[in-house]
Amino acid sequence: MRPIARLFGFVLLTCSAVALAKQPPTADELRRLVDSYADHRGFNGTVLVARGDQVLLRAAYGQANVEWATPNRVEGRYRVGSLSKPLVATLTMQLVQQGTLRLDGTLGEYLPALYAGTPATKVTVAQLLSHTSGLADVPGRYTDPWWQTAARRSYAPMDFAREWIKPTLLENPGQQWRYNNNGFFLLGLLIEQATGQPLADNLQERILAPAGMAASGVFNGSSVLERLAEGYTRTAEGTLVQPQWIDPSVSFAAAGIYTTVDDLYRFDRALYGERLLSHDTRRQMLTAQASHYGFGWNVDDWTLPDGARLQVVSHTGSVPGYQSYYLRSESHEDCVIILDNFWQGALVVTMGQDLMEVLNGKPMQPAKRSLDDLLTPIAYRQGPKAMTAAYEGLGARRDDYDHSERALNALGYKFLRAGRKDEAVSVFEWGVAAYPGSANTHDSLGEAYRAAGRLDEARQSYRTALKLEPASRSARAALEAMGTDKQPGGSSD
């Protein structure tokens, strides 16, 4: 499998050459773009787009509470999941700047009761911040039984670490990038140990209050929060339901913060001065360390339509019922913030990237409708034949839908991960038909054929992928794992 884009861990950009600041789009243009995501893709949440001190768009869409038909408001609070990590990273770097913590300080030094004398004793603060600690993480998918059992219990931070962040390592620290919630949980714990104050108090005193973030805090599940949007999710068939419950103590420093779009914008503006960090410390935090990830932020390069490069740092966040995305680019002091309470992960990422590109010169084109929204309910309720009939019967409506390679790839893998192999094969076959020159479409189809037990067809797809991209490691590895190392064009065994 070789997905075209990283969705939840996060997309970033780097600015090697953006010349003079381009005239940003008007508020009406940005609103029309977001309106199209609401009308065609069902976006439900709040969005803010700004350049420097000028807010270009601040708007809310959909419902904060479906049961009471309460609309979302721009001042609404949302849980932001892993978007907590940039704020916790900023707090950590502030303590490093003040000398309370050191980037080369270790778990054995700061949390000796848990890690002294164990393989994890040498893990550093820098490695926790950059996801290179080598520690095992909690299960990555909310469908794992751990989230229905252990994650529903309430823990003191030290007790959680003792029970679920074991002192063993998957690999040596610094050897491999592996997204790791447990690493940020431990950052919260060592912040508490180093300062003698709870994480929530540290955040309030050192980040939220200096930045003017009066509507933000750490979610505890017991305090009544005014204007908190209720989180929802959808079943595979498309029915809107309440999300699964996870005890807030499990989120802690990894995913525990709630906030508003205006408060995140205040945080963004505070990062430019020295209210939170010095210029040099901020630059260090936002410099890629491993796999396009800095200290608590994604970092990457985008190529804009005119060929210019744009540096953007960003992070997504996901906790059942909520999805968030925050992108910032320092070249023109651009900022895009999206908070969503319908758990619309792929939509939020696509919309955030689209807004940042339009903000930097890409012609605005309204969002198209989603094949996922159309076909997934049909597949689950009526089966793969009905799904294919609906796709082939779009007729004049075909151009209303997003048939991009990325959209088809994402839908195919969604079916494949759910064990719906026939539907996955069909979608990836559509991808090959639409983009026959893409090695990735053939590679993806090979994976679906292989999962469905259609091994000869899988081999042929992988060989085609290798013809198109001889350096494809995924296709070559798949062929070797299937018992053949023949070069493309060899006979099937």
Side-chain angles (χ1 to χ4, degrees):
M1 173 176 107
R2 189 160 56 91
I4 290 176
R6 296 189 304 176
L7 291 184
F8 300 108
F10 323 160
V11 226
L12 286 233
L13 329 181
T14 283
C15 160
S16 51
V18 178
L20 296 176
K22 300 166 185 161
Q23 187 68 26
T26 65
D28 285 344
E29 290 174 316
L30 291 169
R31 184 176 292 275
R32 287 200 302 274
L33 179 57
V34 180
D35 284 350
S36 72
Y37 277 97
D39 295 341
H40 297 164
R41 305 293 293 274
F43 169 64
N44 196 94
T46 305
V47 58
L48 184 148
V49 181
R51 169 162 285 179
D53 292 328
Q54 181 183 9
V55 174
L56 302 173
L57 176 67
R58 180 194 287 112
Y61 294 80
Q63 295 180 309
N65 186 291
V66 173
E67 292 87 341
W68 290 95
T70 304
N72 270 318
R73 299 163 61 183
V74 291
E75 62 268 30
R77 290 164 159 161
Y78 296 74
R79 298 181 65 187
V80 296
S82 285
L83 191 44
S84 304
K85 290 181 173 67
L87 281 82
V88 171
T90 303
L91 170 58
T92 303
M93 295 300 291
Q94 188 180 104
L95 293 174
V96 169
Q97 181 176 290
Q98 295 171 356
T100 305
L101 295 172
R102 303 189 326 275
L103 286 174
D104 63 355
T106 65
L107 288 181
E109 177 183 354
Y110 292 130
L111 299 173
L114 294 177
Y115 299 109
T118 73
T121 190
K122 57 187 177 182
V123 172
T124 67
V125 170
Q127 290 160 350
L128 296 173
L129 283 166
S130 61
H131 297 305
T132 58
S133 68
L135 292 165
D137 199 9
V138 295
R141 295 191 181 280
Y142 288 118
T143 53
D144 188 278
W146 187 87
W147 292 100
Q148 279 80 47
T149 54
R152 296 188 178 187
R153 294 163 47 196
S154 180
Y155 301 86
M158 187 69 78
D159 292 337
F160 181 89
R162 184 176 289 109
E163 186 165 355
W164 297 113
I165 312 180
K166 300 299 183 182
T168 54
L169 298 176
L170 299 177
E171 62 267 335
N172 288 329
Q175 181 177 325
Q176 181 175 335
W177 186 89
R178 189 192 303 273
Y179 190 78
N180 196 308
N181 285 295
N182 274 349
F184 268 77
F185 192 103
L186 288 178
L187 284 170
L189 184 53
L190 65 86
I191 287 168
E192 292 191 339
Q193 296 295 304
T195 64
Q197 291 183 299
L199 174 67
D201 292 349
N202 271 289
L203 280 166
Q204 177 60 37
E205 177 184 337
R206 299 171 184 275
I207 302 296
L208 305 183
M213 300 171 68
S216 305
V218 176
F219 184 77
N220 59 30
S222 57
S223 301
V224 175
L225 293 176
E226 295 181 358
R227 303 186 302 278
L228 178 68
E230 187 76 23
Y232 298 89
T233 187
R234 291 188 185 275
T235 65
E237 295 85 353
T239 303
L240 196 68
V241 296
Q242 297 282 351
Q244 68 189 84
W245 169 253
I246 294 172
D247 192 88
S249 65
V250 174
S251 298
F252 191 48
I257 290 175
Y258 65 85
T259 189
T260 69
V261 291
D262 284 305
D263 267 9
L264 280 175
Y265 177 53
R266 294 182 181 103
F267 172 69
D268 187 81
R269 299 309 299 156
L271 283 174
Y272 284 103
E274 297 205 347
R275 277 182 284 169
L276 302 180
L277 297 174
S278 70
H279 175 80
D280 289 342
T281 303
R282 183 180 80 249
R283 180 178 296 277
Q284 185 179 25
M285 179 176 69
L286 301 180
T287 298
Q289 304 294 319
S291 193
H292 302 285
Y293 201 89
F295 289 150
W297 299 78
N298 292 290
V299 184
D300 208 347
D301 279 335
W302 275 358
T303 301
L304 297 173
D306 62 359
R309 303 292 289 261
L310 181 71
Q311 181 178 41
V312 176
V313 297
S314 71
H315 217 291
T316 57
S318 180
V319 67
Y322 300 89
Q323 185 71 38
S324 56
Y325 195 21
Y326 166 33
L327 305 94
R328 68 190 308 268
S329 174
E330 295 197 358
S331 57
H332 305 321
E333 297 191 7
D334 291 335
C335 174
V336 174
I337 300 165
I338 304 172
L339 305 181
D340 177 289
N341 62 311
F342 270 22
W343 210 10
Q344 300 168 307
L347 183 156
V348 166
V349 169
T350 301
M351 178 173 150
Q353 293 176 347
D354 201 1
L355 283 166
M356 182 59 84
E357 288 182 327
V358 168
L359 192 55
N360 283 276
K362 186 181 81 170
M364 194 280 283
Q365 294 184 340
K368 293 191 173 186
R369 298 185 186 277
S370 167
L371 286 173
D372 188 345
D373 293 342
L374 172 70
L375 299 178
T376 298
I378 296 173
Y380 275 84
R381 293 170 184 167
Q382 302 176 48
K385 291 184 179 179
M387 181 195 78
T388 298
Y391 178 76
E392 293 176 348
L394 284 174
R397 297 182 298 138
R398 180 180 177 84
D399 289 342
D400 294 340
Y401 288 85
D402 181 4
H403 291 83
S404 67
E405 182 180 350
R406 180 172 65 180
L408 291 170
N409 197 66
L411 179 57
Y413 277 115
K414 178 181 177 180
F415 283 130
L416 196 58
R417 286 191 296 267
R420 301 191 72 91
K421 301 169 187 175
D422 291 341
E423 288 90 339
V425 166
S426 293
V427 173
F428 287 133
E429 286 178 341
W430 301 339
V432 165
Y435 305 96
S438 166
N440 192 64
T441 62
H442 293 277
D443 185 89
S444 298
L445 179 57
E447 187 169 350
Y449 280 147
R450 185 180 177 188
R454 297 164 62 173
L455 300 186
D456 285 344
E457 291 166 290
R459 291 187 181 98
Q460 186 56 50
S461 289
Y462 285 128
R463 287 171 180 144
T464 302
L466 278 173
K467 284 182 181 178
L468 292 167
E469 188 178 322
S472 173
R473 289 183 290 181
S474 57
R476 191 170 301 280
L479 285 171
E480 291 173 354
M482 293 172 69
T484 175
D485 58 359
K486 295 186 173 74
Q487 296 298 311
S491 60
S492 176
D493 53 1

